[in-house]
Amino acid sequence: MKTIICTLSLVFALSLSNAQTASTSNSKVSISYSSDEPGEGNYRVNISISNTEDMYILKASFPSSKTGKLKQFLKDHLTPEMTKNGTTSTWKYNTKGETGYVVKLKRGKLNVFMDKEFVSADVVEDLIDMFSDLKDIVKE
């Protein structure tokens, strides 16, 4: 039951952040989930999203064992220009000398920064939809 309630809360929060892309309001959502269900093992997922008219910021922490799966997901959906510095994988999108978005992934952590002024509305919508799938990846 706890899993269902937390999952529904996460889906609602991510939907709410997606709905805010075209409006002028500021949306901040923080979600924490920890599993204590028998057979699932104990793990903790924290996702924080700030979605304003100009910026989208997502910070997530999740079980380290999910990092590889999330990295493959990002490789499949983001620009192919990924750089690696130590244990951190970074995807950057630049346009006209300005940074449109930066996605940084390291073991058990994901940080996303998107400046909506330098990214088309379609890309903003696509990226926010893509990151709403994050919950499915880190909970599998």
Side-chain angles (χ1 to χ4, degrees), residues 1-11 33:
M1 183 68 171
K2 181 178 175 182
T3 302
I4 293 170
I5 291 170
C6 289
T7 302
L8 291 174
S9 297
L10 181 61
V11 168
Y33 175 77

Side-chain angles (χ1 to χ4, degrees), residues 79 91-95 98-103 118-120 123:
T79 62
W91 290 263
K92 284 186 181 181
Y93 172 75
N94 295 312
T95 180
E98 300 292 338
T99 301
Y101 66 77
V102 177
V103 178
F118 303 112
V119 180
S120 72
V123 171

Side-chain angles (χ1 to χ4, degrees), residues 98-115:
E98 300 292 338
T99 301
Y101 66 77
V102 177
V103 178
K104 290 186 177 186
L105 175 68
K106 63 181 178 179
R107 195 159 173 80
K109 300 224 183 271
L110 175 68
N111 292 305
V112 177
F113 171 80
M114 179 173 30
D115 190 332

Side-chain angles (χ1 to χ4, degrees), residues 70-80 82 91:
L70 185 55
K71 184 176 183 178
Q72 187 58 52
F73 176 81
L74 293 171
K75 281 182 175 181
D76 292 344
H77 291 86
L78 295 175
T79 62
M82 187 242 333
W91 290 263

Side-chain angles (χ1 to χ4, degrees), residues 16-27 51-54 116:
L16 204 129
S17 70
N18 189 25
Q20 295 294 325
T21 58
S23 79
T24 59
S25 65
N26 181 8
S27 174
N51 191 6
T52 67
E53 183 177 332
D54 299 329
K116 294 178 182 179

